[in-house]
Each structure stands twice: as structure tokens, then as C-alpha cells.
Amino acid sequence: MKKEKPFQITKRAVFEAFKKVEANKGAPGIDEVTLQEYENNLEDNLYKLWNSMSSGSYFPQAVRGVEIPKKNGGVRVLGVPSIDDRIAQNVMVSELNPKVEPIFYEDSYGYRENKSAIDAIEVTRKRCWEYDWLIEFDIVGLFDNINHDLLMKAVKQHTNEKWVILYIERTLKVPMVMSDGIHVERTKGTPQGGVISAVLANLFMHYAFDHWMTRKHSNNPWVRYADDGLIHSHSLKEAEVLLLKLGERFKDCHLEIHPNKTKIIYCKDDNRKQNHIHTNFDFLGYTFRARTVKTKKGNYFTGFTPAVSKIAIKSFMDKIKKLRKNSYLSLTELAEKMNPIIRGWANYFDKFTASKVHAILSCVNLSLARWMMKKSKRYKNKFMAALRRLSSIAEETPSLFVHWKMGICPKN
């Protein structure tokens, strides 16, 4: 008679978790095992993982620390788990997420199905019309500083599955190994890079901020996307008092508000005449500020609206400029490399103030002309001739580049 496993985890759950890891691809972890190598012995690997998880003998490996440059300077450290650990984390998420997702609030947008950054921008745009003031806040290293005791208390509120609790605790404690071989021991935090971290961060912030705001400050609408948040207010005084209370609340939760990235904003427009040191803010790649807006009837007014930020524009054009250096490519090959970048950027940023996006996409055509000058001796130092040639190509093959299909073609 077979001895029953102490934890009831099905083989199907492990396989489904693998399919999610396979779809997301990603770099290898500390063991340097690639997804392709893992799949070469897939059945045996999945069986071993299932056996260890269901018997209680699963211990995650250290995560590989990778530094990713931030768009506005500095670096973000991601913790890349091994393939086995990514699968295990997906098994944990499949058990925990259905229990915590129903308690999350409507205005929590990060890392949730059927929620997007664009949804957060849209609701913020509407509220900036209704409320004159807002607090823009950022948390210092949220993923690096989440208190383990408070987090596990929250986890135990929503599941009594012993294996989920055990493996989350073990996952939180594994060290991070940096590229120089240094081992960073962890007594707090849940590093970005693992799928479980997104759920755990949302659960922690649900109690640290979302639920607190809803109970204590129900008259102040808020929006949160991971560690970036906004709180709307009717007056400067109200915002100042609320910001002090917010700092105290986060301190109680072992978190700190970023002093340089947290500020009170005045949503200045035609109807708001006061002066204030801060009259714009960036949120999820968009800059909110006073802009000239044209109505459907052709009238103009100054409204407080979002548009693609300078940082997002620079990041995008840097990628385009980097690709245009590949003069050995054909124009078709260049389009194949550029189109995913252009498509993703345009799809995200043309939702609000599309005219600015179209202006930037016109600059891509200028970049293409410079690529052609480098590509062909015929167009060396002949920018206008290269632009005319691109215009002809766009007429012949208007679907070659994504933005050409949008009607943003080179002009003679």
C-alpha cells in the first residue's frame, strides 16, 4: 500500500504551472539551467519537483541577482529563480491567489488580471478633474523591505494550507547571489522577479495602505500600482495632514516614503488659478500637467491631462537609435526588429494625447533616413534624398513599419 503524501499537491497543478513558466520564457537561475535544457528531461524533472513539494522536502535555491537600469536613473535588482522554483512559485500562486484576489480593492491595479496601467491612468485623469490636489507617493524599495512577520500574518489570514505557508516562508528566506558571487542573506523583502512576489506585495500593501485608506480616509480616492500611488484631496491643508499620517502608517509597517519622489501636486488648469511649486507629476510613464486641449467643436481650453512623459520618449528613442546602428541589416530586417518596440510603445501611449505620440513616431522616420545614409553610399550626407527614398518605399509597402500603417509615413 502506497504511503500517502503529507501535502495534497496534484501532478496536474505542477504541469499547469510549468506551462505558465514555458509561456513566459525568461533567463536561467543560479543553476544556469535553461528552459530548453529543462524540457529535455521534462517528465523526470516535473516528477521530482512534484515529489519534493508533496512530501515536504522542497527547498528553493538561491535566486540570481540581476541589476536592471531604471529609466530615471539608478538600478532595480531582480531576483531570478531557477526553473524549478518558478514552477513551484506558480503552484503556490494558483492556490493563494484565488483566496486573496477577491479581497483586493478596485483601485489596486498592479499585477492583477483584467487590470492594467491604462485603467489606472484613465481613472486618475477623471479624478484630477474633480479634485484640485493630490499626493504622489513612492515607497523606498518596497520589494526589498517587506516585513516577513507582517507578511506571513497576512498570508495566514487567507489560507490554512500548511504547504503554502511552509513554502512561502522558505522562498522568502533564500539568499540572493549577485553577479560578483556575493551572497546577500534576506531577513526581509520578496525580490522582484518571482511570480509569487507580485501577489505577496499586493497582499502586504492591501493591509498597509489600501485597506487603511478605505477605513480611515474614505473621502480621499486613491490609486495604487505596486509601490507607486496617488491620493486625491480637495485642499492643500487636507493633503498636508494626510501625507503626515501616511508617513506614520508606513513607518508602522516598516516601510518608508521616498522623500524625493513624494510630493503634493496642484492640478492647475483654466479654472484653478492658485500657484504651487508642483503642478505636474509622472505616473506609469505618463506626465500629467496643464495642456491646451481642443474640443470637438474646435474650441480651445487648458486642461489637466496626461501625455507620454519625456523619460518614456527618451527610453523609446534610445532603443530606436541603437537599432538604427545596424546598417548591415536590410530595411525589412530592420523593420522586423523595430516593429515590436514601436507597436508596444504606440499601443500604450496613444491612448491619451495621441498627437504627441504621432510626433515622436515621425521622428522614427528621421532616424530611418539616418540609417539609410549609413547603409548606402548613394545617400551618404544626403538626408533629404534618403527621406525621399523612404517616402517612396512607404508608398510601395505601407505595411512595412507599424507606424506607417498608422499613416505616419516619411514626407519629402
Side-chain angles (χ1 to χ4, degrees):
M1 184 175 177
K2 277 188 177 182
K3 186 178 179 181
E4 189 173 315
K5 301 284 186 183
F7 299 139
Q8 298 304 305
I9 301 171
T10 67
K11 293 176 182 176
R12 168 58 61 179
V14 174
F15 179 73
E16 293 297 329
F18 162 73
K19 297 300 289 183
K20 291 178 181 177
V21 171
E22 182 184 41
N24 290 330
K25 298 182 172 39
I30 196 68
D31 59 5
E32 299 185 348
V33 175
T34 66
L35 190 59
Q36 184 176 353
E37 290 169 338
Y38 193 91
E39 289 175 324
N40 289 339
N41 194 20
L42 182 61
E43 188 174 344
D44 191 39
N45 285 331
L46 292 183
Y47 178 82
K48 287 178 181 177
L49 179 60
W50 166 80
N51 191 47
S52 66
M53 290 191 75
S54 57
S55 66
S57 60
Y58 165 72
F59 284 88
Q61 300 179 68
V63 294
R64 182 168 63 89
V66 179
E67 292 186 344
I68 306 295
K70 292 183 179 180
K71 291 179 181 178
N72 55 353
V75 294
R76 174 182 288 108
V77 179
L78 299 185
V80 182
S82 68
I83 304 295
D84 259 345
D85 294 337
R86 270 182 260 174
I87 297 169
Q89 287 189 26
N90 271 283
V91 176
M92 296 177 222
V93 168
S94 67
E95 174 64 31
L96 181 63
N97 201 50
K99 295 179 178 179
V100 298
E101 176 63 28
I103 71 161
F104 292 158
Y105 289 103
E106 183 71 20
D107 285 321
S108 168
Y109 288 90
Y111 315 120
R112 297 177 63 191
E113 288 187 15
N114 303 317
K115 293 274 188 181
S116 72
I118 289 299
D119 294 333
I121 296 295
E122 174 62 34
V123 74
T124 298
R125 181 177 71 126
K126 292 177 179 176
R127 287 174 181 168
C128 284
W129 299 339
E130 300 169 8
Y131 293 81
D132 293 356
W133 299 87
L134 66 81
I135 298 168
E136 174 196 13
F137 72 87
D138 180 270
I139 299 169
V140 177
L142 170 64
F143 286 87
D144 296 329
N145 291 299
I146 288 176
N147 181 275
H148 286 177
D149 291 337
L150 291 178
L151 176 58
M152 290 312 302
K153 182 179 178 182
V155 169
K156 291 171 185 176
Q157 279 281 109
H158 299 285
T159 182
N160 55 8
E161 283 286 356
K162 292 182 179 179
W163 66 268
V164 174
I165 295 168
L166 175 66
Y167 294 148
I168 287 177
E169 286 179 329
R170 288 179 181 175
T171 298
L172 289 174
K173 293 175 182 176
V174 296
M176 181 182 291
V177 180
M178 305 307 294
S179 58
D180 56 7
I182 293 176
H183 281 60
V184 181
E185 298 299 325
R186 298 223 318 277
T187 57
K188 60 182 179 178
T190 173
Q192 282 181 279
V195 65
I196 193 69
S197 293
V199 179
L200 295 179
N202 265 340
L203 180 60
F204 189 90
M205 286 301 294
H206 171 79
Y207 288 107
F209 174 75
D210 305 356
H211 191 53
W212 176 78
M213 278 296 302
T214 304
R215 286 188 301 110
K216 299 289 188 179
H217 304 282
S218 58
N219 292 326
N220 298 97
W222 54 271
V223 161
R224 184 180 62 78
Y225 197 100
D227 54 351
D228 292 325
L230 306 170
I231 307 171
H232 297 269
S233 171
H234 283 295
S235 71
L236 175 58
K237 182 64 177 176
E238 182 183 42
E240 289 172 338
V241 172
L242 184 50
L243 183 53
L244 288 173
K245 291 181 178 179
L246 184 65
E248 292 169 0
R249 173 59 182 174
F250 282 144
K251 189 175 180 180
D252 289 342
C253 297
H254 304 272
L255 296 175
E256 180 187 356
I257 289 179
H258 199 298
N260 299 326
K261 296 180 181 179
T262 299
K263 57 182 85 75
I264 295 173
I265 314 294
Y266 181 52
C267 304
K268 193 169 185 176
D269 61 18
D270 272 345
N271 298 316
R272 295 156 173 167
K273 307 297 185 182
Q274 295 184 46
N275 292 317
H276 187 67
I277 188 171
H278 300 299
T279 55
N280 64 77
F281 66 94
D282 283 9
F283 186 51
L284 301 177
Y286 278 85
T287 295
F288 285 73
R289 65 170 177 82
R291 303 175 195 278
T292 300
V293 180
K294 185 179 181 180
T295 68
K296 292 180 180 179
K297 293 182 179 180
N299 299 320
Y300 290 89
F301 69 97
T302 301
F304 194 84
T305 58
V308 56
S309 69
K310 289 181 180 179
I311 292 173
I313 292 170
K314 184 181 184 304
S315 175
F316 171 68
M317 288 307 299
D318 283 349
K319 292 175 183 175
I320 295 298
K321 289 174 183 176
K322 186 177 180 181
L323 284 174
R324 91 168 185 225
K325 293 178 181 178
N326 298 324
S327 56
Y328 61 88
L329 298 174
S330 68
L331 188 61
T332 300
E333 290 169 335
L334 185 64
E336 288 175 355
K337 290 184 177 294
M338 279 191 179
N339 278 338
I341 296 169
I342 297 171
R343 183 182 297 109
W345 190 84
N347 284 346
Y348 182 74
F349 286 109
D350 72 351
K351 299 294 188 295
F352 305 98
T353 319
S355 58
K356 190 163 185 178
V357 171
H358 293 181
I360 300 305
L361 291 177
S362 294
C363 293
V364 175
N365 292 328
L366 306 183
S367 210
L368 290 173
R370 293 186 178 92
W371 170 85
M372 187 166 280
M373 288 166 62
K374 190 176 180 181
K375 172 75 175 176
S376 173
K377 292 181 180 179
R378 180 180 178 184
Y379 299 109
K380 186 177 182 180
N381 299 325
K382 296 179 180 178
F383 178 78
M384 292 308 297
L387 198 60
R388 282 193 294 272
R389 177 56 187 144
L390 272 176
S391 180
S392 299
I393 295 172
E395 289 180 7
E396 297 164 7
T397 55
S399 62
L400 184 59
F401 285 89
V402 169
H403 61 298
W404 290 2
K405 288 194 283 187
M406 295 168 62
I408 307 168
C409 298
K411 294 180 181 179
N412 294 332

